[in-house]
Amino acid sequence: MKMKKFFVAALLLLSGAISMTAQTQLPPIPIDEAVRIGKLDNGLTYYIRHNEWPEHVANFYIAQRVGSIQEEESQRGLAHFLEHMAFNGSEHFKGNDLIEFTRSLGVEFGSDLNAYTSIDQTVYRVCNVPTARISALDSCMLILKDWSNGLLLQKDEIVKERDVVHNEWRLGEGPSQRLITKALPKIYPGSKYGVRMPIGLMSVIDNFKPKTLKKYYQKWYRPDNQAIIVVGDIDVDHFEQKVKELFGGIKVSPKAPKVVPEEVPDNDEAIYVFEKDKEMQVNQIMVFMKHDATKPEEKKNMDYLIEVYVKGVISNMFNARMQEMTNDPDCPFLQAQGDDSNYLLARTKDAFQLVGVPKEGRDMETLSTLIREARRVAKFGFTATEYERAKADYLSALEKTYTNRAKITNDAYGDEYRDHFLNNEPIPSIETLYQTMQMLAPNIPVEVVNQVLPELITDSDKNLVVMEWAREADGLSYPTEADMKAAVQKARNEQIEAYVDNVKDEPLIAEMPAKGTIESETTDKTFGYKELKLSNGATVLLMPTDYKDDEVVLQGWADGGKSLYGEKDFNSLKIFDEAIGMSGLGNFSSTELQKAMAGKNANADLSMTELRQYINAHSTPKDLETMFQLVYLYFTNINKDEKQFQNLINTLDMALKNVSLSPDAVYSDSLSQTLYCHNPRFTTPHVEDLPSMNYDRILQIAKERYRNASAFTFTIVGKFDEKEIRPFIEQYIAALPSTGEPAEKGRDVQTLAKGKVKNHFTMKSESPKATAIEIWSADAKYTLENAVKIDAVGQILSMVYLKTIREDESAAYSCGASGGINLRGGTPKLMMQAYCPMNPDKSEIALRLLHEGMENAAKQIDPDQVQKVKDYMLKQIDIDAKTNSYWVGVIDKMRTFGIDIHHDYKKTVEALTPESLSRFIREKLLSSGNWVEVVMLPEK
Ligand SMILES: [Zn+2]
């Protein structure tokens, strides 16, 4: 089917309404003029843009329109292997110099320096490079140049990397990877998509000859398949010149092979696929109705914007219906959704796709229901009220982005230009997009959307693919192909009726509360925020900022928390946040509330830690009042929604019943048991705990903890006008109920393991898994110095482990450490956690190196590593300090501990020395003697 033609036809229908003359060719989407795009004679494309958010940093990318689909059979896995080799020796960066060099710029390997390989693209990036030194930026261009055609691909480095990639494969081996590998050839018959998972074949990874890798590299990494992208606080002319200098001389042979899109053949008969796995925890049903994808060259004109819009609202409306259906206790699935997008991995084929998670034993009913609901929208369309909500959601999201247009990040631009190069996704300026869609969307009636539906959703067996992934266990029976076929047929034979949209048309708050007042106000000397005391005793802190023009965040907290409750409430408290989250508010059930919130960018949530209860909320400046209304309702009127709670319990039941099948879940359970000395307060929930999770009790606890506003401090940070926000504070916050009593302090209930505790166990699994976590902890004061030091030590250990465990010994794919101050109990604790999912054959080496890393650091640390960590922290703090959440944290630490973690941060980082960090490890961390080790090894 030709989607394109259809959308043009739909457009013509409304051409009168938007006074656009009927024409077959719609105007092109103008490209943002702020990005300089060019193409060299050899075919290399570049995108260069000056952008100052965040300031003083820049991002560098090289995107290639090749991936694993270009591999020959003998090269399966080598596109991804090649990506690894990009960090293991090139013309200008020998060995691991690249990682070391970028780290010296304050760029962290893994987050800022990274790459990925997929079926049809390979993208490398160096991000957040400080722009202070132009020579450093030029070196980043040299890195891109080396990646494009200067990799050394030395034999000894290849040999070392075989284990790293093999370990990466092992780490990913789980039910999903096994199922998808088995299923792909069946869902892509006659196409290379069925046999080109990027991770490839381990038989190839372990044995390929270096020249086989070189062949792929030379054949496909060519300027005409590559784009260079530079975005940041940079001089565009300079980098355009650099691109010409560095890449202009590369020649492309006229005989070079073309990148040909891999086709997905149509299927005349329906394809039914069933796969099972012993570690699968919940079943999944998938339905695909395939159709041609919009071709890259068809994305140039305005009608493509309409296509994207129409598909977006269709998915929004369909998913809202699915969500509403879960209210019905009889609904056969726990969750379901649908949309029109790529047919899994393929870019040349799209599909209207449905996914459902069935309740136990109701797999075929779920399949019938998915088909039935798709048919219902195809036959009757969506209602005008559903569409009004979806359109409002779309327009408000667009407006939110537009409002924040001056602060679009380098990352966001980088991804846009990548997608423009690889898939020809349009890149209009946000102003153009906003104006165009503001004009178009309101003029697209629901009838136009409804006319698209029967084109996407058909009753035909042609191009239909149905797949189930199921849990394999003794005593279970599985659907046959005939069962799946019958379930589809059953739905097709049914008489169906139109959906009725029940909407509650009333304000969120039925009766406005009596307003309170602002009694007094002072200005904080350290950070300049206003502190208001309200008539009900509540405290409000106001800090207007300019970091994001579309964001206001509110955090309210009071002492108390879960520690005030005893053992009989432990299980209920474990799902407190989720149970409150799915409840309704005021006169609205959870579904009614969702409908009422259409087009509004505001949200609020309750949550509880051991020592505090919180309310977290955020909104755009425009929807500020709605945010305050939600806050008011959470304190005063949570609406019990029994059906949604039952759905939550059913979901937990499904997930927890089979948790013992998953090595990862078993491991994390063992870890929390060991770390907290089997204290039932801290263990992860088990299926036996479900009957004692009591909704009424949860609601009662919420009432108790949120009945006294005078114990709460509400910190509001973001883009707001003080004059405008004050009436809302008086109307909603000052009106909250209050007892006037001081907050009840939480109790120190933490039972973190003391002394040396080891838990080694074995676990049987489909593919052998080994994991280790080491935790060192000690009581400590919360101080800026302690916080900075424990963080720095974590980063240093990560560098050490990466070098010793991953690079030198290939004993693990990923490993690292992170440090922080744990504030969960009464006394703050320094905690250092080292983690390592190991190669089972090398677990002894990995464990030894985990210990040695810490022991050695306690004696001495490489000054060069300390310098790199300091550079990173000094750079990162400037980026973090431009976010609202950072300031919520800073204000919180000041008010809780009386500690200013902002002003002296850089001074504290600059004062770090190898000696001071080693001494910190010896005297503050290891001296406590608290050390927990949890190791899982495969059962022999
Ligand atoms: Zn990898």
Side-chain angles (χ1 to χ4, degrees):
M1 184 200 51
K2 287 272 165 282
M3 287 304 302
K4 201 62 199 174
K5 247 197 220 144
F6 187 78
F7 280 102
V8 173
L11 237 201
L12 294 181
L13 257 178
L14 45 118
S15 59
I18 53 174
S19 69
M20 199 184 270
T21 49
Q23 49 190 350
T24 45
Q25 189 72 27
L26 285 165
I29 304 164
I31 289 177
D32 190 349
E33 283 171 11
V35 53
R36 188 170 304 168
I37 304 178
K39 202 170 193 162
L40 304 183
D41 290 342
N42 58 19
L44 182 112
T45 311
Y46 59 84
Y47 300 78
I48 307 169
R49 180 188 187 113
H50 179 86
N51 185 49
E52 292 179 8
W53 200 262
E55 285 171 288
H56 311 309
V57 290
N59 289 2
F60 297 82
Y61 307 76
I62 179 165
Q64 344 230 10
R65 58 165 73 95
V66 296
S68 56
I69 204 87
Q70 272 73 35
E71 294 164 352
E72 316 269 336
E73 193 59 26
S74 64
Q75 294 173 324
R76 283 176 68 180
L78 295 195
H80 168 241
F81 198 96
L82 182 60
E83 174 220 309
H84 277 240
M85 294 311 295
F87 302 89
N88 287 288
S90 63
E91 209 176 310
H92 299 92
F93 301 89
K94 305 286 183 303
N96 288 139
D97 286 2
L98 174 59
I99 298 174
E100 298 294 319
F101 169 72
T102 48
R103 188 79 219 213
S104 75
L105 303 177
V107 168
E108 199 178 28
F109 181 53
S111 54
D112 289 338
L113 172 68
N114 215 337
Y116 68 82
T117 308
S118 71
I119 289 259
D120 52 14
Q121 53 188 271
T122 313
V123 180
Y124 300 80
R125 58 178 79 201
V126 194
C127 293
N128 290 318
V129 182
T131 50
R133 272 188 303 137
I134 187 80
S135 62
L137 301 183
D138 288 349
S139 299
C140 289
M141 293 300 291
L142 214 51
I143 294 173
L144 299 186
K145 165 73 169 40
D146 273 13
W147 280 337
S148 83
N149 76 341
L151 298 187
L152 298 180
L153 308 179
Q154 284 157 324
K155 198 168 168 224
D156 53 330
E157 292 286 349
I158 290 176
V159 170
K160 273 208 280 181
E161 207 62 20
R162 289 189 205 270
D163 278 349
V164 174
V165 174
H166 206 119
N167 286 337
E168 183 181 357
W169 170 82
R170 185 178 290 111
L171 185 65
E173 261 303 269
S176 314
Q177 186 163 303
R178 285 190 293 267
L179 287 166
I180 198 160
T181 308
K182 278 194 277 182
L184 281 182
K186 299 176 195 164
I187 57 182
Y188 291 110
S191 167
K192 266 163 65 175
Y193 280 112
V195 285
R196 285 296 180 274
M197 279 290 278
I199 193 71
L201 299 178
M202 289 310 105
S203 54
V204 172
I205 296 303
D206 295 341
N207 302 306
F208 73 87
K209 299 243 169 21
K211 71 165 193 292
T212 318
L213 182 67
K214 267 182 199 141
K215 242 174 84 184
Y216 178 95
Y217 185 47
Q218 285 158 0
K219 185 171 178 185
W220 297 113
Y221 274 43
R222 307 183 320 238
D224 52 329
N225 289 331
Q226 295 169 329
I228 298 296
I229 302 165
V230 184
V231 185
D233 206 346
I234 47 115
D235 172 16
V236 174
D237 292 333
H238 174 82
F239 283 95
E240 183 173 37
Q241 195 47 45
K242 275 278 154 197
V243 169
K244 289 178 179 163
E245 253 173 62
L246 287 170
F247 297 90
I250 306 169
K251 295 269 177 297
V252 180
S253 155
K255 284 183 291 188
K258 284 257 166 327
V259 169
V260 187
E262 177 71 16
E263 296 299 330
V264 178
D266 287 341
N267 50 295
D268 289 328
E269 299 292 320
I271 297 175
Y272 294 94
V273 181
F274 178 85
E275 301 291 351
K276 55 190 190 305
D277 189 281
K278 287 187 178 131
E279 289 173 17
M280 189 75 179
Q281 293 181 53
V282 290
N283 294 2
Q284 247 187 57
I285 311 271
M286 290 156 269
V287 177
F288 304 91
M289 299 168 183
K290 291 173 5 186
H291 59 79
D292 287 342
T294 305
K295 293 195 169 56
E297 60 272 22
E298 294 169 342
K299 295 178 181 173
K300 283 195 191 119
N301 298 332
M302 293 287 188
D303 45 345
Y304 181 62
L305 293 181
I306 294 178
E307 178 183 330
V308 172
Y309 165 78
V310 169
K311 285 182 176 177
V313 291
I314 286 174
S315 171
N316 176 324
M317 291 185 282
F318 189 80
N319 293 340
R321 280 196 191 181
M322 295 299 99
Q323 166 73 24
E324 187 172 23
M325 283 181 75
T326 61
N327 273 335
D328 180 353
D330 233 16
C331 177
F333 55 73
L334 291 168
Q335 287 164 35
Q337 58 186 42
D339 75 336
D340 195 86
S341 54
N342 287 344
Y343 176 49
L344 289 177
L345 312 171
R347 219 168 275 284
T348 49
K349 201 62 110 182
D350 280 358
F352 187 80
Q353 38 203 312
L354 304 151
V355 185
V357 177
K359 289 179 183 167
E360 190 143 300
R362 302 183 70 179
D363 305 36
M364 289 305 100
E365 276 178 83
T366 295
L367 174 55
S368 295
T369 306
L370 291 175
I371 300 273
R372 182 189 314 123
E373 293 312 313
R375 293 185 74 231
R376 198 189 308 276
V377 294
K379 183 162 182 208
F380 299 102
F382 291 102
T383 66
T385 44
E386 284 177 291
Y387 179 60
E388 280 313 308
R389 292 196 296 272
K391 188 166 58 183
D393 279 343
Y394 171 87
L395 288 171
S396 77
L398 181 66
E399 183 167 352
K400 184 172 183 298
T401 315
Y402 176 74
T403 307
N404 196 44
R405 64 194 174 283
K407 279 144 199 172
I408 296 174
T409 60
N410 293 337
D411 294 349
Y413 282 126
D415 289 349
E416 270 186 30
Y417 302 150
R418 173 200 62 194
D419 293 343
H420 181 258
F421 172 69
L422 295 170
N423 306 319
N424 209 24
E425 291 300 328
I427 43 169
S429 68
I430 178 67
E431 287 86 354
T432 306
L433 182 69
Y434 179 73
Q435 282 151 15
T436 309
M437 292 314 295
Q438 279 273 331
M439 176 185 76
L440 289 178
N443 285 300
I444 300 174
V446 68
E447 290 76 17
V448 168
V449 176
N450 288 344
Q451 282 184 47
V452 176
L453 290 164
E455 304 285 324
L456 301 174
I457 300 166
T458 68
D459 269 348
S460 163
D461 269 357
K462 189 178 163 70
N463 281 333
L464 178 70
V465 180
V466 177
M467 176 157 69
E468 170 161 10
W469 288 356
R471 180 166 72 90
E472 178 180 7
D474 292 341
L476 287 183
S477 60
Y478 311 106
T480 61
E481 183 170 328
D483 294 333
M484 293 164 94
K485 212 179 250 179
V488 172
Q489 205 48 55
K490 176 174 175 290
R492 283 180 184 166
N493 292 340
E494 281 172 24
Q495 284 294 322
I496 44 177
E497 284 166 21
Y499 168 85
V500 179
D501 188 24
N502 293 310
V503 201
K504 195 165 240 174
D505 192 17
E506 54 181 82
L508 277 183
I509 299 181
E511 213 175 307
M512 274 295 163
K515 254 180 155 175
T517 53
I518 296 167
E519 300 278 283
S520 70
E521 66 179 86
T522 51
T523 302
D524 177 76
K525 288 195 188 64
T526 316
F527 300 112
Y529 61 79
K530 288 250 169 69
E531 176 167 351
L532 315 180
K533 273 281 169 203
L534 308 187
S535 49
N536 60 352
T539 306
V540 175
L541 313 178
L542 291 180
M543 185 173 191
T545 68
D546 277 324
Y547 305 129
K548 272 190 106 188
D549 296 330
D550 60 349
E551 184 180 87
V552 180
V553 299
L554 173 151
Q555 182 184 73
W557 63 269
D559 286 331
K562 295 180 186 177
S563 64
L564 298 177
Y565 297 89
E567 186 144 7
K568 68 175 193 336
D569 291 322
F570 286 171
N571 290 329
S572 298
L573 286 170
K574 280 175 189 165
I575 57 162
F576 178 87
D577 301 1
E578 293 80 4
I580 297 297
M582 39 109 279
S583 297
L585 284 177
N587 293 332
F588 293 77
S589 71
S590 125
T591 302
E592 288 165 346
L593 185 63
Q594 234 156 37
K595 290 183 181 179
M597 291 294 291
K600 297 250 194 304
N601 275 305
N603 187 47
D605 280 305
L606 299 190
S607 65
M608 242 200 281
T609 61
E610 310 325 307
L611 297 178
R612 282 177 172 184
Q613 50 275 354
Y614 287 95
I615 181 158
N616 282 297
H618 61 84
S619 77
T620 53
K622 190 170 133 255
D623 292 320
L624 205 51
E625 180 162 14
T626 307
M627 178 184 87
F628 279 102
Q629 291 179 338
L630 294 173
V631 170
Y632 178 80
L633 288 169
Y634 270 116
F635 272 77
T636 57
N637 199 352
I638 298 174
N639 183 348
K640 184 174 177 182
D641 194 330
E642 193 65 64
K643 288 174 180 167
Q644 283 296 328
F645 184 75
Q646 202 43 53
N647 201 43
L648 172 68
I649 293 294
N650 290 342
T651 308
L652 283 170
D653 183 61
M654 279 282 272
L656 296 177
K657 207 175 330 189
N658 305 315
V659 86
S660 63
L661 301 171
S662 152
D664 292 341
V666 167
Y667 183 82
S668 82
D669 189 38
S670 301
L671 180 68
S672 70
Q673 295 273 6
T674 309
L675 191 57
Y676 291 101
C677 303
H678 302 270
N679 183 346
R681 185 187 285 278
F682 295 107
T683 49
T684 49
H686 295 121
V687 74
E688 311 84 80
D689 303 335
L690 293 179
S692 57
M693 293 178 174
N694 182 333
Y695 192 25
D696 286 325
R697 181 62 184 144
I698 291 170
L699 292 170
Q700 192 190 343
I701 290 174
K703 259 201 185 119
E704 283 169 19
R705 303 272 38 95
Y706 294 86
R707 79 200 151 100
N708 179 17
S710 70
F712 275 80
T713 301
F714 298 87
T715 308
I716 305 173
V717 180
K719 185 82 181 173
F720 59 84
D721 183 88
E722 264 198 55
K723 269 208 258 6
E724 236 170 86
I725 209 169
R726 280 166 190 264
F728 297 149
I729 290 170
E730 293 182 325
Q731 178 65 69
Y732 300 106
I733 306 290
L736 292 175
S738 173
T739 63
E741 295 159 14
E744 225 173 320
K745 283 271 178 207
R747 296 184 295 126
D748 188 350
V749 291
Q750 198 175 62
T751 50
L752 200 65
K754 287 207 163 65
K756 293 194 173 9
V757 183
K758 272 195 194 189
N759 174 4
H760 287 213
F761 64 97
T762 59
M763 165 96 191
K764 205 176 153 186
S765 58
E766 289 296 284
S767 23
K769 291 262 178 188
T771 301
I773 288 185
E774 314 277 333
I775 294 170
W776 295 269
S777 70
D779 288 357
K781 279 214 173 66
Y782 187 89
T783 65
L784 177 57
E785 195 182 328
N786 282 341
V788 164
K789 282 182 172 166
I790 193 82
D791 180 9
V793 170
Q795 294 186 51
I796 285 166
L797 286 176
S798 288
M799 280 193 265
V800 169
Y801 293 147
L802 184 72
K803 177 90 181 64
T804 56
I805 301 177
R806 174 167 150 156
E807 296 296 332
D808 294 349
E809 295 291 346
S810 300
Y813 170 68
S814 76
C815 49
S818 69
I821 301 185
N822 182 325
L823 301 170
R824 202 168 165 183
T827 319
K829 309 242 186 232
L830 292 175
M831 276 180 81
M832 176 58 59
Q833 171 168 321
Y835 50 90
C836 183
M838 309 171 284
N839 175 349
D841 302 331
K842 293 188 175 178
S843 62
E844 275 172 39
I845 301 173
L847 279 173
R848 177 172 57 77
L849 291 171
L850 284 173
H851 300 168
E852 276 180 17
M854 183 57 116
E855 284 159 22
N856 292 341
K859 287 180 211 136
Q860 66 175 38
I861 299 175
D862 181 355
D864 184 49
Q865 286 176 341
V866 176
Q867 193 53 50
K868 283 173 179 156
V869 166
K870 286 161 76 169
D871 289 342
Y872 174 75
M873 292 171 89
L874 292 171
K875 176 200 76 173
Q876 197 58 35
I877 191 66
D878 285 336
I879 297 176
D880 293 345
K882 289 212 167 87
T883 62
N884 293 322
S885 58
Y886 170 85
W887 288 100
V888 171
V890 166
I891 294 171
D892 182 17
K893 294 296 180 306
M894 187 66 174
R895 297 184 70 93
T896 310
F897 301 103
I899 288 170
D900 175 356
I901 60 168
H902 177 71
H903 287 102
D904 287 336
Y905 182 84
K906 287 190 175 177
K907 216 170 76 193
T908 311
V909 171
E910 272 156 6
L912 295 176
T913 63
E915 295 74 30
S916 71
L917 287 171
S918 286
R919 194 171 342 109
F920 172 79
I921 296 174
R922 282 195 309 273
E923 293 173 7
K924 292 275 177 78
L925 187 60
L926 300 186
S927 57
S928 73
N930 299 334
W931 167 66
V932 173
E933 176 176 272
V934 180
V935 176
M936 177 175 74
L937 293 170
E939 202 164 282
K940 293 259 157 51

